[in-house]
Amino acid sequence: MKTRSAANDFPVVCVGGSAGGLDAYTRLLKNLPVDMGVAIVIVNHLRIVATQLHDILPHFTSMPVELITDKLLIRPNHVFIIPAQRDLHVLDGVFRLKPISKPRGWPDVITVFLRSLTEHWNGKIIAVIVSGYDGDGADALLGIKEVGGITIAQKLDTAKQPDMPASAIASGWIDYVLAPEEIAREIVRIGQEDAGAQT
C-alpha cells in the first residue's frame, strides 16, 4: 500500500535506453521546458563503463543534471542519471542504489526501476523506452498501466537501435509511439494536465 506524501506527488518520467540512447536523450531534453514540474530520470543500462551522461547532457538543457547517489532527494525540474553497475529504486521520496541484480547478460535496470516506481511513487509515472538493444523495460509496462501511468515508445524509424522500443511496443502496453521531439511535447502536456488536476 502506497502512502500519500506531498513530497512525492509530482510526475516522474523514466527514460530508459542504451545503445543509441544519447541521440534520443538530447533530442528530448532540448525540447523540454525547465519549469514543468516533472522529474526526468534517465536509466541508461551500461554494464561496465562509467556513464558520462551527467557531463554531456547539461549542454542540452538548463535543468540541473545530477548523477544519482544513494538517498538523493527526487526533485522536479531536475534530470537524474543512473550510475553504472547499480539497480535503482525509490523509497520515501529518495533514490536508493543497490548492487546490480543481473550482472551478466543484458541488464534489466529499467524494469527494476519502473517496478519500484509503481510500488513507492505517489505521483504520475511516465515510462519512456528509447533506442537500445534487448528489451529492458517491457516487462514493467503493464504495472505502469495498472497504477494509471503513461507508456511511450520511441518511433522505430527515429531510433538508432530499435530493439528496445520494438520490444516495448510488442508488449501491447504502449500508449504512444513518438519521435523524441513529440515525446517532449507529450510530457509537457501530461505535466500541465497533472498540475491542473492538483489545483
Side-chain angles (χ1 to χ4, degrees):
M1 182 77 179
K2 292 197 281 191
T3 54
R4 191 76 192 164
S5 165
N8 59 349
D9 62 359
F10 51 87
V12 166
V13 180
C14 170
V15 185
S18 66
L22 178 60
D23 175 69
Y25 307 147
T26 57
R27 289 166 63 187
L28 176 65
L29 289 176
K30 280 194 290 189
N31 288 280
L32 286 176
V34 299
D35 58 352
M36 59 185 168
V38 170
I40 307 291
V41 184
I42 294 181
V43 183
N44 192 59
H45 74 198
L46 289 168
R47 277 168 296 183
I48 298 164
V49 184
T51 184
Q52 301 299 314
L53 289 175
H54 56 296
D55 295 323
I56 297 168
L57 294 179
H59 298 289
F60 299 92
T61 178
S62 297
M63 285 186 276
V65 178
E66 295 184 62
L67 186 66
I68 294 168
T69 54
D70 194 43
K71 299 184 182 177
L72 180 68
L73 182 67
I74 306 169
R75 289 169 288 174
N77 306 321
H78 283 64
V79 179
F80 298 100
I81 312 293
I82 188 175
Q85 288 293 89
R86 293 288 182 272
D87 276 349
L88 181 62
H89 299 260
V90 296
L91 189 64
D92 298 328
V94 301
F95 291 110
R96 300 308 307 261
L97 292 172
K98 297 185 180 179
I100 198 162
S101 56
K102 192 181 173 192
R104 293 178 182 81
W106 292 107
D108 59 358
V109 290
I110 301 166
T111 298
V112 166
F113 179 60
L114 288 174
R115 285 179 172 157
S116 183
L117 282 175
T118 63
E119 293 174 17
H120 300 292
W121 191 256
N122 293 318
K124 180 159 304 273
I125 303 166
I126 306 165
V128 180
I129 306 297
V130 300
S131 178
Y133 289 113
D134 196 46
D136 193 7
D139 288 346
L141 297 175
L142 171 57
I144 297 294
K145 296 298 299 168
E146 287 176 338
V147 296
I150 305 288
T151 56
I152 305 173
Q154 184 176 359
K155 196 173 177 185
L156 300 186
D157 62 5
T158 71
K160 290 184 179 291
Q161 177 43 252
D163 289 7
M164 199 179 287
S167 294
I169 293 165
S171 76
W173 301 110
I174 286 291
D175 293 310
Y176 304 101
V177 179
L178 303 169
E181 294 79 6
E182 297 167 327
I183 294 171
R185 286 195 288 274
E186 188 60 27
I187 290 169
V188 171
R189 186 192 69 75
I190 293 166
Q192 291 170 341
E193 196 177 76
D194 190 77
Q198 291 187 32
T199 54

